[in-house]
Amino acid sequence: AQSVTQLGSHVSVSEGALVLLRCNYSSSVPPYLFWYVQYPNQGLQLLLKYTTGATLVKGINGFEAEFKKSETSFHLTKPSAHMSDAAEYFCAVSARSQGAQKLVFGQGTRLTINP
Amino acid sequence: KAGVTQTPRYLIKTRGQQVTLSCSPISGHRSVSWYQQTPGQGLQFLFEYFSETQRNKGNFPGRFSGRQFSNSRSEMNVSTLELGDSALYLCASSLASTGRYEQYFGPGTRLTVT
């Protein structure tokens, strides 16, 4: 079974500052990992994903995440926050098996950007 | 390429009624998954359909059901609505039914049960 823990339900940073959103996962099999963003009254948009290969994954809007197996982590970072980054961010895990298209989400982290 | 569409976007129902939500996946996508999003429980997986077959099911009561048509469009039905069913219902489509393919989400249907 898979599970995801996002540390910090609310994160506030200043515009131009580093964004760090933490995600730890638990999985009995090698995981696929995803970060999604949700803006108010909208669905989820994929930021980036890790499946295999390079552990540092680059996504859209300047975000990146690093898969660290030893720490069971997949933290999301962005070097310089922009006002438009204010949204809710979800980390998710799915299992590596056929017929298992099921995402398990963390509780989400609401990111606020201060001018 | 058009994204995932969901209809209706907003819905108000009375306790005890039933409701049907519709989802049209991205063209070429054969897997459709449904999720419920609430402030208290977050995002929870309901079920997934692939080639008209339910492949995976979450931990929801039998009042929640779904189906998929030959054109990959999917419907979700909730019978005997309860106040706790008020939520944003999200549909997501994917190329195939394996965990490695990203899911593309629609804007959701916001269901309010009074």
Side-chain angles (χ1 to χ4, degrees):
Chain A
Q2 291 79 37
S3 66
V4 175
T5 301
Q6 290 184 239
L7 298 175
S9 58
H10 291 87
V11 170
S12 181
V13 302
S14 298
E15 190 174 17
L18 171 72
V19 174
L20 171 60
L21 304 182
R22 299 178 187 274
C23 171
N24 287 89
Y25 70 91
S26 172
S27 179
S28 55
V29 297
Y32 296 123
L33 295 160
F34 306 83
W35 274 100
Y36 284 87
V37 61
Q38 186 177 35
Y39 297 99
N41 299 314
Q42 294 188 26
L44 278 69
Q45 180 183 9
L46 180 70
L47 281 175
L48 48 80
K49 66 175 183 178
Y50 169 77
T51 53
T52 58
T55 56
L56 182 62
V57 180
K58 294 186 184 300
I60 63 171
N61 302 339
F63 285 95
E64 62 182 39
E66 186 170 10
F67 170 61
K68 292 187 175 180
K69 184 179 178 181
S70 61
E71 299 177 8
T72 60
S73 69
F74 191 57
H75 302 330
L76 182 71
T77 60
K78 181 175 180 177
S80 176
H82 191 271
M83 296 298 291
S84 61
D85 295 327
E88 188 147 23
Y89 292 78
F90 293 92
C91 181
V93 63
S94 67
R96 293 179 176 231
S97 59
Q98 187 69 25
Q101 186 66 303
K102 168 187 173 181
L103 285 171
V104 175
F105 286 91
Q107 284 297 101
T109 297
R110 185 169 299 278
L111 177 64
T112 302
I113 311 297
N114 302 312
Chain B
K1 188 181 275 191
V4 178
T5 58
Q6 292 186 247
T7 56
R9 290 292 311 277
Y10 302 91
L11 205 50
I12 300 175
K13 289 288 188 178
T14 303
R15 194 170 44 182
Q17 287 185 316
Q18 76 165 19
V19 66
T20 299
L21 311 182
S22 181
C23 172
S24 292
I26 292 172
S27 177
H29 286 192
R30 297 169 63 193
S31 169
V32 174
S33 299
W34 289 89
Y35 296 84
Q36 181 196 64
Q37 185 177 24
T38 60
Q41 299 299 316
L43 280 154
Q44 293 187 287
F45 173 78
L46 280 157
F47 31 64
E48 183 225 349
Y49 286 87
F50 180 79
S51 294
E52 302 178 65
T53 301
Q54 188 179 88
R55 298 295 298 272
N56 223 344
K57 190 177 191 306
N59 189 26
F60 278 82
R63 299 185 298 107
F64 291 81
S65 63
R67 59 178 176 168
Q68 187 180 34
F69 302 95
S70 58
N71 61 358
S72 294
R73 190 177 69 85
S74 177
E75 288 182 346
M76 189 192 106
N77 185 274
V78 188
S79 63
T80 320
L81 284 165
E82 300 177 359
L83 296 178
D85 297 333
S86 295
L88 180 67
Y89 290 89
L90 292 164
C91 164
S93 77
S94 181
L95 274 171
S97 183
T98 64
R100 71 171 295 155
Y101 289 102
E102 60 264 37
Q103 296 182 38
Y104 294 86
F105 285 79
T109 294
R110 184 163 297 281
L111 172 64
T112 301
V113 182
T114 63

